[in-house]
Amino acid sequence: MDFDLTEEHRLIRRTVREFVDREVLPYAAGWEEEGSLPERVFGVMKELDLFGLPFPEAYGGVGSDYLAYILAVEEIGRASGSLGLTYAAHVSLGAAAFHHFGSEEQKRRWLVPCARGEVLAAFALTEPDAGSDAGGIQTAAVRDGCEWVINGTKCFITNGSLAGYVVIAAITDREKGIRGISNLVVPAGTPGFHIGPGYRKLGLRASDTVELVFEDCRVPVDHLLGSPGDGLRQSLRVLDGGRISIAALSTGIAQACLDASLIYARERVQFGRSISGFQAIQFKLADMATEVDLARLAAWRAAWLKDHHRPYTREAAMAKLFASEACVRAALEAVQIHGGYGYTEEYPVARYLRDAKLMTIGEGTSEIQRLVIARQLGC
């Protein structure tokens, strides 16, 4: 067993870390107050080829692997959960759907600009009455000659108003139930495609999260990914990869909690000495460090399995489950270590706590991860 990163991986992580420290960390709190991310940060990410890390060079990518990509997600998440989520939703959900299921022509049409960072992508599965129960979606697409006519509503869609392309799950054959679900690509600006207002969220306020409405929205028949009725299987595969990226994002936020807590504990003096000298604080920091390390290793293992074309559904769910819940625990402890200051905006740990909670909800709740793991165990 070899736990060393390759020289390429170390270079990518170092490059992303330098970018984050220079272009993200000083501004992340301000982005949250403004409720949006600046175009310039996407421009720098494009120059660094971050959007194309796990995609083949033939389709505009870098030709690296998934492990390299999740290293980047963790580093970005350490400074800005909102930017990390935006990045992850684009690469591991929207663009990944083109990569895994698109035809040669579809990859050149949609994956290439996504991998080059010329356009963002979104993946729209969730609906007002279909969250964890993905098979319960009601959005429908009816064939009308050379077009699909789409009607329905999607909610909580990351990158929804920023995306140039949105991959949506819709029922194309109602009689077949969940076997009648297909994935369709809807470009921004398509008539009948309406973007709702953004949500007022607890955290991750700079990330774009909106409702999408389709009213007699027409797209050509060649906008269907893969085969008709293959949408749910495709979505589950995309979510497997997405769960690894959320595990990495969770690890990044948890690392930020640990870093901030270590600095504060060394500087804060009570009863005549630094609080880092008190065993109660030391134990909190030790537990945080242990869980951050374990979360990171779980994400790395799942990414390694994916890169080596081995089954990784269970490991992705385990990584996402453990890392997301460890992230929440780390954020809670960080606030506790900071005391009253932790409950104010003067220190970043209040933001980390708000951001951490979504990690246990997005890409499948903790409860869904446990169901996935149990089924993989044969239950």
Side-chain angles (χ1 to χ4, degrees):
M1 300 177 71
D2 185 358
F3 290 96
D4 281 336
L5 295 175
T6 66
E7 181 56 38
E8 178 189 351
H9 288 138
R10 288 194 291 270
L11 175 60
I12 289 171
R13 185 167 65 172
R14 184 166 61 249
T15 299
V16 178
R17 183 170 295 175
E18 291 172 355
F19 151 71
V20 164
D21 288 344
R22 183 181 66 253
E23 303 287 350
V24 181
L25 200 56
Y27 310 105
W31 297 342
E32 294 301 304
E33 292 179 5
E34 295 168 6
S36 63
L37 297 168
E39 282 290 334
R40 67 167 180 80
V41 76
F42 296 126
V44 179
M45 293 172 70
K46 177 183 175 182
E47 291 175 5
L48 294 174
D49 288 327
L50 298 186
F51 295 108
L53 277 177
F55 302 122
E57 293 181 45
Y59 302 112
V62 174
S64 191
D65 55 18
Y66 213 71
L67 178 56
Y69 157 64
I70 70 159
L71 291 172
V73 172
E74 180 185 336
E75 288 300 322
I76 294 170
R78 177 175 59 85
S80 170
S82 290
L83 183 59
L85 183 64
T86 300
Y87 177 54
H90 167 73
V91 175
S92 61
L93 298 183
F98 303 139
H99 175 54
H100 291 309
F101 311 115
S103 65
E104 184 68 20
E105 190 278 330
Q106 289 173 332
K107 288 179 182 178
R108 298 203 176 279
R109 192 192 325 179
W110 296 317
L111 178 57
V112 169
C114 285
R116 289 176 176 169
E118 297 169 355
V119 64
L120 288 177
F123 189 78
L125 180 64
T126 303
E127 298 185 0
D129 295 318
S132 296
D133 178 16
I137 68 171
Q138 296 301 309
T139 296
V142 178
R143 179 76 178 264
D144 181 20
C146 296
E147 296 179 316
W148 292 102
V149 183
I150 307 168
N151 284 281
T153 301
K154 299 292 182 178
C155 61
F156 308 130
I157 306 305
T158 303
N159 297 348
S161 70
L162 301 177
Y165 313 120
V166 179
V167 179
I168 71 160
I171 299 172
T172 51
D173 190 337
R174 197 171 291 278
E175 292 183 0
K176 292 183 179 180
I178 61 173
R179 291 184 175 84
I181 296 174
S182 305
N183 283 321
L184 297 160
V185 181
V186 183
T190 301
F193 174 20
H194 308 291
I195 299 171
Y199 296 95
R200 297 180 62 189
K201 298 176 295 183
L202 172 67
L204 299 165
R205 295 168 181 168
S207 71
D208 179 64
T209 313
V210 296
E211 181 181 79
L212 305 179
V213 179
F214 303 89
E215 296 179 323
D216 292 330
C217 177
R218 291 175 175 267
V219 297
V221 291
D222 65 358
H223 282 219
L224 186 142
L225 290 179
S227 303
D230 207 21
L232 188 58
R233 183 192 67 82
Q234 293 175 353
S235 297
L236 293 177
R237 182 177 174 187
V238 167
L239 288 173
D240 280 345
R243 285 165 182 159
I244 305 175
S245 67
I246 294 299
L249 179 56
S250 300
T251 303
I253 296 173
Q255 182 68 60
C257 292
L258 176 59
D259 293 344
S261 297
L262 279 168
I263 293 171
Y264 183 83
R266 289 167 181 153
E267 294 176 347
R268 177 67 167 170
V269 174
Q270 290 289 279
F271 304 103
R273 59 173 170 157
S274 163
I275 64 171
S276 64
F278 293 105
Q279 194 176 70
I281 301 300
Q282 292 174 351
F283 281 11
K284 291 180 185 296
L285 295 170
D287 287 344
M288 290 167 67
T290 300
E291 293 202 336
V292 167
D293 203 43
L294 292 174
R296 180 175 294 116
L297 289 174
W300 285 12
R301 180 179 69 151
W304 183 90
L305 290 170
K306 177 175 168 59
D307 284 332
H308 286 76
H309 309 291
R310 293 167 62 173
Y312 64 93
T313 295
R314 182 180 71 171
E315 289 77 10
M318 286 178 169
K320 197 272 187 185
L321 172 65
F322 181 81
S324 63
E325 296 195 344
C327 179
V328 172
R329 289 191 291 270
L332 285 168
E333 290 290 41
V335 171
Q336 192 71 15
I337 290 170
H338 282 71
Y341 288 112
Y343 203 66
T344 72
E345 296 297 327
E346 185 174 344
Y347 288 84
V349 292
R351 168 163 58 92
Y352 300 156
L353 179 57
R354 292 196 302 270
D355 292 351
K357 186 54 196 167
L358 183 75
M359 303 300 108
T360 65
I361 299 172
E363 308 287 347
T365 63
S366 290
E367 291 73 21
I368 289 297
Q369 305 314 310
R370 289 182 168 93
L371 282 175
V372 170
I373 295 164
R375 289 172 182 168
Q376 289 290 312
L377 293 174
C379 298

